[in-house]
Amino acid sequence: MKNEIICLGKTVEAAIEKGAKELGVDASRVSVEVLQEPKKGFFGIGETPAKVKVTYVCEPADLALNFITTLVENMGMDAKITMTDGEDNEKCIRVDGEDAGELIGYHGETLDALQYLANLAANKKSDENDERTYTKIHVDVENYREKRAETLRALAHRMANKVQKYKRSVTLEPMTPNERRIIHSEIQKIEGVTTHSIGTDSERRVVISVEK
């Protein structure tokens, strides 16, 4: 998405700062075309201001960041929001703060919904000629995803030991697709047990059983 504005100022720098402020971004993130250099008049008479065209191309990740920032502000949260580069054109947005836990929900359900909406905001094309490439947005709150992954890996080992000891299958509670992948992946590292999934939609569960 491309935004541009023409601004006047006593100096070129002042005009750029004004344009960037009106676009809501830092001056370092805009491109500038100087349309008119400032000229000093005689005792202020005939003075000509600087005139610049300030352009800002909003990247997909910026749209996602703006979406989450606006949401957090509207919820009245005192939180810090940061964005870093991930792998394979992925952008990672993280929210940290005392109230940020409200964005996680039960087993990360709210967080997953937030990540889904952030991806929609980033990759919704303005028209059929919009040729932007897909940008994957990963959203986390207070490092919840890694903490949850550690908990699931520990659960996988406990349940695998139980299955091996009693030679009986164990069915876990319903999980999200990502959580099930963590369980499946961890069980693959343990000899003598295997996994499969049962159920549909939000009731889909992982079953850990003795490997035949």
Side-chain angles (χ1 to χ4, degrees), residues 7-45:
C7 287
L8 304 178
K10 285 189 174 182
T11 64
V12 170
E13 290 74 18
I16 294 172
E17 286 290 343
K18 181 181 179 181
K21 184 176 181 180
E22 291 192 21
L23 290 174
V25 297
D26 189 86
S28 63
R29 302 181 67 184
V30 301
S31 58
V32 178
E33 179 184 351
V34 179
L35 304 176
Q36 177 178 279
E37 292 284 354
K39 295 180 181 179
K40 293 183 179 180
F42 184 69
F43 292 109
I45 300 174

Side-chain angles (χ1 to χ4, degrees), residues 163-209:
V163 168
Q164 290 173 324
K165 180 177 181 179
Y166 296 104
K167 307 300 180 184
R168 296 180 62 182
S169 299
V170 171
T171 302
L172 304 182
E173 63 181 337
M175 295 181 183
T176 65
N178 184 59
E179 291 178 332
R180 294 198 303 274
R181 280 193 292 270
I182 293 172
I183 296 292
H184 288 309
S185 177
E186 199 63 25
I187 292 297
Q188 286 180 0
K189 304 174 185 177
I190 305 173
E191 292 185 4
V193 290
T194 186
T195 59
H196 67 276
S197 294
I198 60 172
T200 58
D201 302 326
S202 62
E203 288 300 310
R204 198 153 176 79
R205 307 161 183 258
V206 174
V207 178
I208 304 174
S209 55

Side-chain angles (χ1 to χ4, degrees), residues 42 50 59 63 93 142 197:
F42 184 69
E59 299 294 335
L63 295 172
I93 299 176
E142 290 283 319
S197 294

Side-chain angles (χ1 to χ4, degrees), residues 70-91:
T70 300
L71 176 66
V72 169
E73 290 176 350
N74 289 342
M75 292 180 69
M77 291 183 176
D78 182 16
K80 178 182 178 183
I81 304 173
T82 55
M83 183 167 69
T84 57
D85 293 329
E87 299 179 355
D88 300 326
N89 199 37
E90 181 183 67
K91 291 290 184 177

Side-chain angles (χ1 to χ4, degrees), residues 16-186:
I16 294 172
E17 286 290 343
K18 181 181 179 181
K21 184 176 181 180
E22 291 192 21
L23 290 174
V25 297
D26 189 86
S28 63
R29 302 181 67 184
V30 301
S31 58
V32 178
E33 179 184 351
V34 179
L35 304 176
Q36 177 178 279
E37 292 284 354
K39 295 180 181 179
K40 293 183 179 180
F42 184 69
F43 292 109
I45 300 174
E47 184 176 3
T48 303
K51 184 177 182 181
V52 301
K53 180 165 72 173
V54 180
T55 303
Y56 170 61
V57 178
C58 191
E59 299 294 335
D62 293 327
L63 295 172
L65 182 62
N66 291 341
F67 166 75
I68 292 178
T69 300
T70 300
L71 176 66
V72 169
E73 290 176 350
N74 289 342
M75 292 180 69
M77 291 183 176
D78 182 16
K80 178 182 178 183
I81 304 173
T82 55
M83 183 167 69
T84 57
D85 293 329
E87 299 179 355
D88 300 326
N89 199 37
E90 181 183 67
K91 291 290 184 177
C92 303
I93 299 176
R94 177 166 161 171
V95 183
D96 293 283
E98 292 185 3
D99 302 327
E102 296 180 27
L103 298 174
I104 297 174
Y106 179 71
H107 285 181
E109 290 179 350
T110 304
L111 178 57
D112 287 341
L114 179 61
Q115 178 170 283
Y116 173 75
L117 293 174
N119 275 279
L120 283 184
N123 296 290
K124 181 180 179 180
K125 295 190 175 183
S126 57
D127 54 56
E128 59 182 14
N129 297 318
D130 191 336
E131 298 180 351
R132 80 179 84 172
T133 57
Y134 183 84
T135 299
K136 184 178 180 180
I137 306 297
H138 175 87
V139 181
D140 200 0
V141 174
E142 290 283 319
N143 200 32
Y144 168 81
R145 294 196 185 280
E146 182 54 37
K147 293 175 183 177
R148 176 64 174 162
E150 290 177 0
T151 298
L152 291 173
R153 285 191 284 266
L155 173 66
H157 281 272
R158 289 200 308 273
M159 293 300 101
N161 289 337
K162 185 175 180 180
V163 168
Q164 290 173 324
K165 180 177 181 179
Y166 296 104
K167 307 300 180 184
R168 296 180 62 182
S169 299
V170 171
T171 302
L172 304 182
E173 63 181 337
M175 295 181 183
T176 65
N178 184 59
E179 291 178 332
R180 294 198 303 274
R181 280 193 292 270
I182 293 172
I183 296 292
H184 288 309
S185 177
E186 199 63 25

